[in-house]
C-alpha cells in the first residue's frame, strides 16, 4: 500500500496511490491513516495538473536523523564509522514535499543533498526491542537530509546546518510494504547520478536504529527516522534539480533556489 | 500577567495566576491563550491539593536551545565562548511540568541540571530583526536543560544527551511582563544553592538569539528557546530534588528518579 498526502488547492487529504500502466491515481481516504484505518471515500483523482503531492507526513514531534551510517560516506566526510548511532534532530518546520523548492539560506554558501531512506512511526513506542520494531513502523518514504556543509563544520552542533526551513524534503509517498533491508538509495542532480548505495550497507539497520532511539525517547505516530546517506554527497545550487530515490518507493524531486 | 496550564484530573486547561498574600489562585481561561485572547471563564480555583500545574506549553514544533551562552559556564565545561550561538534541539517529548519526575535513563550514569531562562514564542516569525523580537514573544518561563553529561561527551551530537524523555522540565508558568535583561537564574539541589547567575551575563541576549534562530528556521507559536545556563552545573541522582528559578518568574521544582 502506498499512502500519499495531497492537495487540489484546499485542505490536505490522504489517498492510496494506484498505478495503472503509466497513469497514477489517488484513491482518496477519509481522515488521517496515521490515526485511523485507511477508509477510501470512493473519490478517485488522477495524479497530474491541479493535484499537488505534499510531504506524506508532518511530524507532530520530531525527525530523528542518523549521521555517518554508511561506511563509505563516513570515509568521504573524513571520519570513522561511529561506535553507536550518531543522532540529531531536524524540526518539523524543515519538512517540505515533492517538487517544493529547497531554499538556500543566506548564512551558507555550501549546501549538499543527502538521499536517505526514511522510516515513518505508526504507534507510540518506548524501549522497543529490535525484533519488535516492525510493529511500530507505518512504512517508508524518501528523504533528502539537506545540509549546509559550511555551517556544519563551524557550528559544532548541527541544528542550523541541518534544521533550516526546507532542509527536509520527504516523499513522494509512504510505502507500507517495503522490505528495507537491501534496496538502492540514489540521488541525481540535474539528471546526473551522484549517489548509488544500498541499505544493506548501513552500519546500523532500521530495527537497531528505532530500538536504540526508543531507549532514549518516546517515538510518536508520525515521527520520522532518517537512516543516513551513502557516499557521493555534493553541492547543489540555485537552479539545480535534485532527485532522491529509494528503490521500491519512488523518486523525490526538488528544485533548488536561492533568494536573491 | 502569568499564564499557567493545569489539570484537576481531566483535560489540561489554562489559567491566569493571581497571588493574594501567600495564597495562589488560578482564574480559568477558555481555550489556549497562544491562539486566542485570554478569556476568563469566571471560574477560580485555589492552587493546592487536587490541582496540578503542567508544563505551561508543549511546543508543536521545537525547543531550540543554546549552548555555552554564559562565559563562566563555557569555562567550567573546559571550552571557549562560541563565536556564534551554539544551537541544538530538544524534542517536545522531553517536556515535563512542575513536580513531574526527571527520570534518569539507563544509558547514562552522569546527569546534570542546567537552570535556564526560557522564551515562549507567540507568533510565526522568520528573519525577524533583534529590535522587533519582543513582538513575537508571549513571555518567559523557567527551564531545566537536563543533560546526560557522559553521553554528551561520547555522542558528538547531543540529541540523546539532551533529548531523552523528561529532560526538559518547563514551568511553573509563563510570565508575560518580565524584562529578561538582568534577572537572576539559580538552581538548588536538595535546598543547596548550586547556580546563581544573571541574564545580563549572557553572551548573546534574548533578542539576538531569537533573531539569529529565525534567520535559519521559522519559529511557530509555542516554540520555546532555552537561553543557556550559568556556571555551577553538577550532578543529580535518584532521590534528589532539583529547583530552577528565574527571578521574577518563580521556581520550577522536580524530583529525580532512576527506574529500578
Amino acid at each position: 500500500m502506498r499512502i500519499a498526502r495531497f492537495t487540489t488547492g484546499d485542505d490536505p487529504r490522504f489517498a492510496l496511490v494506484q498505478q495503472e500502466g503509466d497513469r497514477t491515481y489517488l484513491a482518496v481516504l477519509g481522515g488521517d491513516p496515521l490515526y485511523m484505518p485507511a477508509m477510501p471515500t470512493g473519490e478517485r483523482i488522477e495524479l497530474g495538473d491541479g493535484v499537488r503531492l505534499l510531504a506524506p507526513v508532518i511530524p507532530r514531534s520530531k525527525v530523528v536523523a542518523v549521521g555517518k551510517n554508511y561506511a563509505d560516506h563516513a570515509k568521504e566526510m573524513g571520519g570513522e564509522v561511529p561506535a553507536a548511532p550518531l543522532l540529531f534532530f531536524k524540526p518539523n518546520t524543515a519538512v517540505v514535499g515533492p517538487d517544493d523548492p529547497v531554499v538556500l539560506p543566506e548564512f551558507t554558501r555550501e549546501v549538499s543533498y543527502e538521499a536517505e531512506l526514511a522510516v515513518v512511526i505508526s504507534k507510540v513506542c518506548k524501549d522497543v526491542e529490535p525484533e519488535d520494531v516492525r510493529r511500530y513502523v507505518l512504512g517508508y518514504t524518501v528523504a533528502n537530509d539537506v545540509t549546509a556543509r559550511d555551517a556544519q563544520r563551524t557550528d559544532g552542533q548541527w541544528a542550523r546546518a541541518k534544521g533550516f526551513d526546507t532542509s527536509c524534503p520527504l516523499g513522494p509517498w509512504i510505502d507500507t510494504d517495503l522490505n528495507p533491508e537491501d534496496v538502492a538509495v540514489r540521488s541525481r542532480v540535474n539528471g546526473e547520478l551522484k549517489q548509488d548505495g544500498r541499505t544493506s550497507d548501513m552500519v546500523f539497520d532500521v530495527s537497531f536504529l528505532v530500538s536504540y532511539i526508543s531507549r532514549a525517547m518516546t517515538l510518536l505516530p508520525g515521527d520520522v527516522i532518517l537512516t543516513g546517506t551513502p557516499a557521493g554527497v555534493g553541492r547543489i545550487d540555485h537552479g539545480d534539480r535534485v532527485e532522491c530515490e529509494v528503490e521500491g518507493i519512488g523518486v523525490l524531486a526538488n528544485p533548488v533556489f536561492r533568494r536573491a
Side-chain angles (χ1 to χ4, degrees), chain A:
Chain A
M1 195 165 76
R2 286 177 169 173
I3 301 169
R5 188 163 153 268
F6 73 101
T7 179
T8 51
D10 44 14
D11 284 347
R13 291 185 287 169
F14 291 87
L16 300 183
V17 181
Q18 300 174 334
Q19 202 70 38
E20 293 181 10
D22 56 0
R23 304 181 88 158
T24 305
Y25 295 89
L26 300 176
V28 180
L29 299 174
D32 184 337
L34 262 176
Y35 299 100
M36 57 186 74
M39 297 283 284
T41 62
E43 189 183 357
R44 202 156 172 266
I45 301 172
E46 185 172 356
L47 193 57
D49 281 357
V51 183
R52 197 176 132 218
L53 290 180
L54 303 171
V57 60
I58 304 286
R60 283 156 184 72
S61 180
K62 54 199 165 295
V63 177
V64 188
V66 182
K68 301 184 182 169
N69 197 33
Y70 289 79
D72 58 355
H73 172 62
K75 193 172 172 189
E76 78 178 346
M77 296 299 289
E80 300 287 310
V81 163
L86 175 57
L87 305 182
F88 59 95
F89 297 113
K90 292 174 85 94
N92 58 11
T93 39
V95 173
V96 293
D99 301 312
D100 282 342
V102 169
V103 181
L104 308 178
E106 281 181 15
F107 66 76
T108 173
R109 292 286 126 193
E110 186 186 347
V111 174
S112 180
Y113 53 87
E114 296 190 356
E116 311 202 0
L117 172 74
V119 184
V120 182
I121 299 295
S122 61
K123 288 198 289 263
V124 177
C125 76
K126 182 75 176 63
D127 294 330
V128 62
E129 297 294 332
E131 58 268 28
D132 295 328
V133 160
R134 191 63 191 83
R135 293 197 287 128
Y136 298 91
V137 172
L138 177 65
Y140 303 90
T141 189
V142 185
N144 189 347
D145 176 17
V146 181
T147 303
R149 216 49 96 188
D150 43 3
Q152 188 183 25
R153 282 191 298 265
T154 54
D155 283 6
Q157 296 298 302
W158 300 345
R160 207 169 60 127
K162 286 175 172 280
F164 63 84
D165 288 357
T166 78
S167 68
C168 191
L170 294 177
W173 38 62
I174 297 166
D175 190 298
T176 62
D177 304 316
L178 186 82
N179 178 338
E181 287 174 16
D182 184 23
V183 289
V185 177
R186 300 187 186 101
S187 63
R188 291 178 197 81
V189 177
N190 304 324
E192 188 183 330
L193 187 68
K194 296 290 189 180
Q195 296 178 280
D196 190 7
R198 297 198 72 81
T199 55
S200 52
D201 290 327
M202 284 183 185
V203 179
F204 304 104
D205 69 10
V206 167
S207 295
F208 185 92
L209 290 174
V210 175
S211 171
Y212 182 85
I213 295 165
S214 81
R215 289 183 198 287
M217 62 197 83
T218 301
L219 292 169
L220 301 185
D223 279 356
V224 172
I225 316 291
L226 306 193
T227 58
T229 201
V233 299
R235 288 183 66 159
I236 43 178
D237 224 320
H238 181 81
D240 287 339
R241 180 176 171 83
V242 59
E243 292 176 314
C244 298
E245 179 182 8
V246 174
E247 182 188 7
I249 302 178
V251 175
L252 168 70
N254 299 88
V256 181
F257 286 94
R258 181 179 287 281
R259 285 187 296 180

